[in-house]
Amino acid sequence: MELHEANRIVRSVKSALYADGIKLPPSAESDGLLMLLGKLDCDKYLAPKIKHARTLAQDSAAFIRAFCTIAFFRALEALRIGLPDPVTSASLMMLHKTVCGDLDDEAGKPRAAEYSADGCEHTDPKYIQGSLRSVIAKMNGIERSPAIGKEDFAGYITHYMRELVIMRPFERGSDFTVRLFVTAFCKARGFSLCYYRTPATEIRAAETAAFRYDDVTPMYKLFMKCLSYEHTTVEPQKSVPQTRRELNKPRGEKRPAPQSSEMSEIKAAAQNGKKDNDDDKPVDVLKRAIKLQQKITKLNEQLTELMTASGSKPPARRAEKPGRQKPARPPRQAKPKTKTPDKKTEDDRCGDNSKPQ
């Protein structure tokens, strides 16, 4: 795994824990980065911590700190592996068991007791299994990037995240596991969900607004801020609007690009042809030209014999007589314009101004 990818996973998991008000020791972040880069064995690192945490009371603050630290490293390992395709309800159960199974015997099982928070009740335990299957089945219908844009994807994730928050499928570590599940699902669909781009208080406030007031606007804004395209995918470009004439124009078939094997054959043939041309000597070229000239002469003789035998002669071109020339045409002279006399007579001119007596 590359360094920037490992750093992004560590910061996202850390922010997902901070949303529940849990802070990690300073060494956890650096050790988690080493584990993702393959320089630290996770099981050997966590074995003494798990052994020590099992000796503590589950209500003590020391147990909670140890539980969160172990869950942090298990979450890093789960995000590194990713989710199977297609995603099922069993995928979420296995994720919860991976994250919380070291210190929780009920990890990986749906919540069996009723739970309420802030005066609002979560989904009844007997409906959790069926609701979980329905929600995740609908999530599988979301397209992958770049077939779907960031805005549409954020809208889908906001809707299904609200359903999972209201459901609260697990007794312990449910909110943290749901955030991890959504993060892994976004990565499987070609997006990166980086919770560290927003404060932890905004994450918790968005989930509370969706649960208590049925307001998903803060959560949608949260995902729009934290979502980004994976570096392996390309951001879809908006298509340029076309005119009706361009749409009705028949599209020509594009010639498929030659494969690597075809390209190698073409290059080899070109190199062989170049070598053959380089090997030709001037004497060989002259001999080929002489043979070609002899063939042309022989074909001309055969054509003449055939025309003589059939009695037809090729049409001769008319030769002009050297002394015969067309007489030069005299230049055309323009006729002089004659001035037309005035039709009015002198009497008429005088009569124009005179009145009859």
Side-chain angles (χ1 to χ4, degrees):
M1 180 178 289
E2 298 179 358
L3 179 60
H4 68 89
E5 179 70 17
N7 188 29
R8 184 172 60 182
I9 292 176
V10 169
R11 295 175 65 187
S12 295
V13 175
K14 182 180 177 182
S15 299
L17 270 177
Y18 277 7
D20 292 332
I22 298 169
K23 293 186 178 181
L24 297 170
S27 61
E29 187 173 355
S30 58
D31 292 342
L33 195 62
L34 292 174
M35 187 201 72
L36 290 176
L37 295 175
K39 299 181 180 181
L40 184 67
D41 191 351
C42 182
D43 293 331
K44 292 181 179 180
Y45 179 81
L46 293 179
K49 298 181 182 296
I50 295 172
K51 186 177 180 180
H52 174 69
R54 286 175 179 172
T55 61
L56 302 173
Q58 294 190 359
D59 297 337
S60 62
F63 177 83
I64 295 175
R65 286 196 299 269
F67 180 85
C68 295
T69 302
I70 295 169
F72 171 74
F73 284 94
R74 294 301 187 188
L76 295 179
E77 188 178 6
L79 288 185
R80 180 178 61 84
I81 298 172
L83 293 176
D85 191 19
V87 182
T88 60
S89 59
S91 305
L92 181 57
M93 299 294 179
M94 289 301 298
L95 178 62
H96 184 258
K97 188 174 183 179
T98 301
V99 174
C100 306
D102 294 316
L103 300 177
D104 187 6
D105 296 334
E106 299 297 325
K109 299 178 183 179
R111 176 170 52 85
E114 295 183 358
Y115 190 86
S116 62
D118 299 329
C120 301
E121 293 186 358
H122 290 273
T123 306
D124 193 283
K126 60 183 178 182
Y127 300 120
I128 289 177
Q129 193 71 27
S131 300
L132 200 60
R133 290 176 183 173
S134 176
V135 169
I136 296 181
K138 293 176 182 177
M139 291 178 69
N140 284 320
I142 303 177
E143 294 179 327
R144 301 175 183 271
S145 174
I148 186 172
K150 177 181 173 181
E151 294 80 6
D152 296 336
F153 187 80
Y156 284 119
I157 291 299
T158 301
H159 173 71
Y160 296 124
M161 181 70 175
R162 171 184 168 274
E163 296 291 332
L164 293 174
V165 169
I166 294 174
M167 196 181 306
R168 191 180 175 85
F170 307 108
E171 186 72 30
R172 174 178 288 178
S174 179
D175 295 337
F176 176 60
T177 305
V178 167
R179 295 186 198 108
L180 293 178
F181 176 75
V182 173
T183 302
F185 180 80
C186 292
K187 185 177 181 181
R189 288 296 185 269
F191 291 89
S192 298
L193 182 58
C194 306
Y195 277 117
Y196 56 84
R197 294 179 180 175
T198 185
T201 54
E202 291 187 9
I203 300 174
R204 194 63 184 177
E207 294 176 356
T208 303
F211 172 62
R212 293 185 60 183
Y213 309 109
D214 201 15
D215 183 13
V216 296
T217 303
M219 187 174 290
Y220 178 77
K221 293 180 179 179
L222 170 71
F223 285 131
M224 284 297 295
K225 188 186 299 184
C226 298
L227 276 173
S228 62
Y229 294 95
E230 281 280 336
H231 65 279
T232 55
T233 60
V234 180
E235 184 174 354
Q237 299 179 355
K238 295 183 180 180
S239 58
V240 180
Q242 296 179 343
T243 61
R244 185 176 295 275
R245 182 178 295 177
E246 292 177 352
L247 293 174
N248 295 334
K249 188 184 298 183
R251 298 181 179 180
E253 296 182 358
K254 293 184 179 181
R255 185 178 179 183
Q259 303 294 331
S260 57
S261 59
E262 298 178 2
M263 289 295 297
S264 59
E265 292 177 0
I266 293 172
K267 290 181 180 179
Q271 291 178 357
N272 294 333
K274 189 175 181 181
K275 290 181 180 178
D276 295 341
N277 294 335
D278 294 341
D279 295 340
D280 292 342
K281 297 180 180 179
V283 179
D284 298 335
V285 175
L286 184 60
K287 289 181 180 179
R288 291 178 186 175
I290 293 172
K291 289 181 180 180
L292 183 62
Q293 185 66 28
Q294 291 175 355
K295 289 181 180 179
I296 293 173
T297 305
K298 192 174 182 180
L299 289 173
N300 288 334
E301 291 177 356
Q302 292 177 0
L303 181 61
T304 305
E305 291 177 359
L306 288 173
M307 294 182 70
T308 305
S310 61
S312 61
K313 293 183 180 180
R317 188 176 178 182
R318 227 173 190 182
E320 295 182 357
K321 293 182 180 180
R324 188 177 178 181
Q325 293 182 358
K326 292 182 179 181
R329 190 174 181 178
R332 189 174 180 179
Q333 295 180 358
K335 294 181 179 181
K337 293 183 180 180
T338 58
K339 192 171 183 181
T340 56
D342 193 358
K343 293 181 179 180
K344 290 184 178 183
T345 60
E346 188 175 355
D347 298 337
D348 295 336
R349 292 192 193 117
C350 296
D352 288 342
N353 297 326
S354 63
K355 295 182 180 180
Q357 296 180 359

